[in-house]
Amino acid sequence: MDRMTQHYIAVATYTAKPDATEQVALLLPQLAAASRAEEGNISYSVARDLEHPNVFTIVEVYQDADAFTAHRESAHFASIGKMQIIPLLESRVVVGYEGDGVIA
């Protein structure tokens, strides 16, 4: 039977510097794979804007805000996200949401 559950959603928009777009495109799947393995992660997807290929949208779903905080404090986020990806960005916007959904 399906049940409703509360969760935390983060939507991040990363705009890469023009000369770093392809490097960001290669690093984001690494960050996504490591993040999907986190205990509190429900899903993590990365999309690239078709009209502006240097813009990436990341949609992350966690069991709760604490799980998202743990993600931001993880070793892989520090090494891949903070040290490699973020310096290559022109801008980074992260918005958090509380939501509910159905788990089958």
Side-chain angles (χ1 to χ4, degrees):
M1 172 171 238
D2 295 345
R3 64 181 176 87
M4 296 295 290
T5 182
Q6 287 290 118
H7 51 263
Y8 183 87
I9 304 164
V11 179
T13 303
Y14 286 7
T15 302
K17 295 174 183 174
D19 62 341
T21 298
E22 294 311 313
Q23 190 173 357
V24 171
L26 292 173
L27 289 166
L28 282 171
Q30 295 174 34
L31 180 59
S35 299
R36 286 184 194 113
E38 295 172 16
E39 184 176 330
N41 182 270
I42 296 171
S43 68
Y44 193 109
S45 57
V46 178
R48 190 170 186 175
D49 189 305
L50 295 174
E51 292 183 27
H52 306 282
N54 66 319
V55 177
F56 301 86
T57 299
I58 303 163
V59 180
E60 309 168 54
V61 182
Y62 293 90
Q63 291 174 351
D64 52 34
D66 290 340
F68 179 67
T69 298
H71 160 71
R72 294 186 79 161
E73 295 172 353
S74 69
H76 62 268
F77 184 76
S79 65
I80 302 169
K82 290 180 183 176
M83 295 176 68
Q84 295 181 64
I85 295 173
I86 291 173
L88 301 175
L89 302 179
E90 286 183 352
S91 66
R92 174 177 169 253
V93 177
V94 181
V95 180
Y97 302 89
E98 286 187 354
D100 56 15
V102 176
I103 294 182

